[in-house]
Structure formats: C-alpha cells, structure tokens
Amino acid sequence: MAATGTYTETFVELIRRASAELPAEVAEALRTGREAEQRGGLASIALNTILENVDLAREASAPICQDTGTPVVWVHHPTGVSTRAVKADFEAAVREATARTYLRPNAVNTLTGANTGDGSGRGIPFMHFEEWDEPRIEVRMILKGGGSENVGAQYKLPDGKLGAGRDLDGVRRAVLDAVVQAQGKGCAPGVLGVCIGGDRVSAFEASKRQLLRPLADTNPMPELAALEERILREGNELGIGPMGFGGSTTLLGVKIGVLDRLPACYFVTISYMCWAARKAGVSIGEGGELTWLS
Amino acid sequence: MAELKLPVDEKSIRALKVGDFVELTGRMITGRDAAHKWLLEDFRADVAPFLKDSVIYHCGPVVAKKGDGSWSFVAAGPTTSIREEPYQADVIGRYGLRGVIGKGGMGAKTLAGLGKHGAVYLHAVGGAAQVLARAIPRVERVFMLDEFGVPEALWVIEVQRFPVMVTMDSNGGSLHDEVEARSQAKLKELLARKA
C-alpha cells in the first residue's frame, strides 16, 4: 500500500527528535555519573565529551551518534486505523529523514553488501502494532545502534558455568555476565532492557520494549524492582566504566520484564542500549493534534 | 595534552603510552568492515599513500553533499573496532599505518602487530559524533563510494585537534586487557555472593 502521507511529516519530526535530542533523564544520569568519576581521568574526560556532544547535537539538530541505528517502533492505534498506511508513512519518513541527514543510510542488502541508500530495507524500520481502546494513536520509537546490538545476548538457564539456575538469582548471574562480556563495546555506560522467559523471538522484542520505560521509574513487580536495583548496583561495581576505560559508571539503568515460557525453556534476554539511549514518542489525537512524549 | 601531527614517524608513535590523551592534526582516512577486507584482497596502490605513516579511522559517517559538489561530515564518531581484528595487523604491516582509531579496543593479534610495526590504537569517544565531526573541517576525497556506500567508503579527511586516548600501545600495553581482567575478577566475587 502506498503511503498516504497523512503522518509522514509528523514521523520525520519524531525521528529528528529521537536522533538529535537525548532524553533529559539520560543526560541527567550521565552528569550524575561524571560526578562519581575521578576528575581528569579517562572516564571523566569521556563523560565530558559525551555531555558536550549531547548539547551540540541538540543545537544543530544533527545526529547524536553517526550510527543512527534501527528505528524500532511501537504503535498503539484505535479500531479502524490502517496499519498498512501508518507503516508506509513511517517508511517514507525514514527515507526523508535520511535525505535530511537526521539518519545515516543504514540499511545494507545482506546478500550483495550494497547499501540501499535511503535508510529503508527489508525489516528496517521494525514496527509493532497493537490496537487499543483509546481514540488516539501513540507512536513510540527507539534508535537502536549496531555496536550495542552486537553485545546483546540470550542465555538459557540453567547455565552450569555461571552457577545460574532457573530463578531470579540465575537471572542476576546471566545479566552480570553479559555486562562483563560487553565491556565498553556497547558504548558504556548503557541501559539494559531485559526479558525473563518468552521464546527466542518474543523475548528480544520484549527486552527492547523495556527500554521505553523512564530511567527513574520503579518496576511494579516488587521482586523485579529489587532485582533491577541490585543488578544496577553490582553492574557498576564491575569497574568497566565509560567506554570501558575503567570507572564506576558502567550502567545507567536496568529494566526487566517477564513473559511466560514453555516448560523446557528459560531464556534471559538482554538488549544493551548505548549511552546514546535515543527514544521519542508522539500522541496523535482524533483531530490530528500532536502531543510530543518524553 | 599533546598534539600529534599526521603523517607521523615511528619514533613519536613508540613514545606513546596507554593512558595518554592526544589530539591529532593532519590527514587521515576512514575505513571499516568492507574496506579492511578489500585492502587485503589486493595491494590498493591508489589508496596506499593515504595510509602510509598515517592512521585509519574506524568510522561510518553521516555525510552531506554541498551545493558545490564537495562533501562534509555531519556526524562522525567511531565504530566498534574488534570486527577488524582478523585484518588489522596485516593492514598495518602492508600499508605502513602508524595507528588505528576506533572504539572498544582490539585483540591479541592487533596488539602484537602494533608492537611489530610501531603503531598505536587510539580510542575516540563512542557516540560523540558531533564533537568529532567538528574536528573534521574538510573531506578531501573518497574511494569506493559507489561500491561500498556512504558508511563503508574510504573517506580521506583533514582533522584538526581530533581528540583520542591511547588505549593500546606499541609496548604491549592494553587498557582493555587490564579493565577486562579486573572486571572478570570482580564478577567472580559477585557470583560468589549469596542470592
């Protein structure tokens, strides 16, 4: 189905915001991290550069990071909205945002190695649609970079080497191991989106959806809230630090969700989001009025 | 902080140590996954002069074409270097590179290559695409643009006070090895704690 164009310009602006404007809460967490690092050390220099970069990107409406990632998008819509039309409009917006250099041409034909040139490709952008009872459309997106995507991981418990059984302490062990494996390669300090349970498909989607949560929120499930807090604390004790230079700021947040599972399977799925934890959202009312979401 | 002019000689490079913060000024070239494979498939004589005694930057930039047909870097931070581990030491040796800029560090083969050929690994701050693009005032020319696309092409660029940290030196030092060993030891301790 061809793009109707109804939402294209709104989505271009959504992408621009995601690419150029780091959420205030993430910048705040980076500043807090900087306070904890030794002044003049490599970790502190790195965080200074990062924070300067965040300001420059916002002022120039230019990408925070040249790897503008995969746009991963969640759409909630009322009955009667054509999801094909919304998808076509979003794809058109990706091509337009790429032409305006809000995005890098970031889609490569896997078989030929040729860049598609316009940012869109098979499976890119990646979109999820859910119908809901509200009359408005809500679109939330992240830009998920490739360096951090490469350090994502999926563990299946039990894991003898980690002493990880099928319980929340096993989850803790798997997640901390993933942080050590990642070192600075995912552009630490990172935010972890974690899914316990599910299958190999549903769990990665659910782990990424966790990245939409505000950094400062509290998990409504008390046992997961406690686990998030513990992994955040222990992850920062690992000493990996910004960029893997060593230091006390390794993680900015840990967000954990849960799906039910098959009797045979117990997956722990980790999506590592780099410090440039880019997300944006917009609500489109019945009459087309826009509310930008943080 | 020291300023290092490119091209650079072996002696100046061998004097650099892990933990040094330096700023680069001069001419260098970008190259990442496709470029490294391509540079070793054959000796690329037209590109070779841009590698000799200079550094290769693991970077897939966002690039704008200006009205006069010239290019400018809109966003240009480093990409993860470890993917070039199978190729890097050989590219350094074959083309006489004095350094590599990237992020995340590299492995044992590259570290040995740095020592053998007199080169360093320079870490730029990952994600700092605006700060680093501003240190690249000019794009001189580009190789393999049509074949590889914008992120993977080899861009010859002029840099001015381009900030990097030495994290692997030509004397076997690697900050990445140190941090990894420390964090592995700490992990062991955390896993020994009770649930």
Side-chain angles (χ1 to χ4, degrees), chain A residues 41-90:
Chain A
L42 289 185
S44 153
I45 293 174
L47 286 169
N48 275 334
T49 304
I50 284 169
L51 284 160
E52 183 191 347
N53 190 74
V54 168
D55 290 341
L56 286 174
R58 184 182 293 269
E59 285 159 21
S61 257
I64 296 164
C65 176
Q66 78 291 335
D67 182 0
T68 53
T70 306
V72 185
V73 188
W74 290 269
V75 180
H76 282 89
H77 60 88
T79 310
V81 167
S82 165
T83 57
R84 284 186 302 164
V86 173
K87 186 166 189 282
D89 279 2
F90 199 92

Side-chain angles (χ1 to χ4, degrees), chain A residues 44-217:
Chain A
S44 153
I45 293 174
L47 286 169
N48 275 334
T49 304
I50 284 169
L51 284 160
E52 183 191 347
N53 190 74
V54 168
D55 290 341
L56 286 174
R58 184 182 293 269
E59 285 159 21
S61 257
I64 296 164
C65 176
Q66 78 291 335
D67 182 0
T68 53
T70 306
V72 185
V73 188
W74 290 269
V75 180
H76 282 89
H77 60 88
T79 310
V81 167
S82 165
T83 57
R84 284 186 302 164
V86 173
K87 186 166 189 282
D89 279 2
F90 199 92
E91 287 167 353
V94 166
R95 291 190 286 272
E96 178 58 27
T98 305
R100 294 191 204 170
T101 67
Y102 302 149
L103 298 178
R104 183 174 69 178
N106 230 15
V108 175
N109 180 311
T110 301
L111 298 181
T112 66
N115 194 303
T116 67
D118 68 8
S120 68
R122 279 175 284 206
I124 303 175
F126 198 61
M127 301 188 73
H128 308 265
F129 290 91
E130 275 176 44
E131 191 174 305
W132 67 359
D133 289 329
E134 295 191 39
R136 64 195 179 89
I137 302 173
E138 187 179 287
V139 183
R140 289 183 182 271
M141 67 173 294
I142 60 173
L143 289 173
K144 183 68 178 64
S148 65
E149 190 67 0
N150 279 338
V151 300
Q154 191 164 55
Y155 292 74
K156 55 180 170 38
L157 304 189
D159 184 314
K161 204 168 140 267
L162 295 171
R166 291 182 157 190
D167 52 31
L168 293 186
D169 189 59
V171 173
R172 175 183 73 98
R173 288 162 182 270
V175 176
L176 287 173
D177 184 67
V179 176
V180 170
Q181 298 302 323
Q183 292 291 306
K185 293 180 182 67
C187 279
V191 181
L192 304 182
V194 179
C195 174
I196 312 172
D199 67 20
R200 288 197 187 271
V201 175
S202 60
F204 267 113
E205 189 271 324
S207 70
K208 289 202 168 70
R209 194 182 290 237
Q210 287 296 314
L211 297 170
L212 293 175
R213 286 172 51 195
L215 279 183
D217 75 351

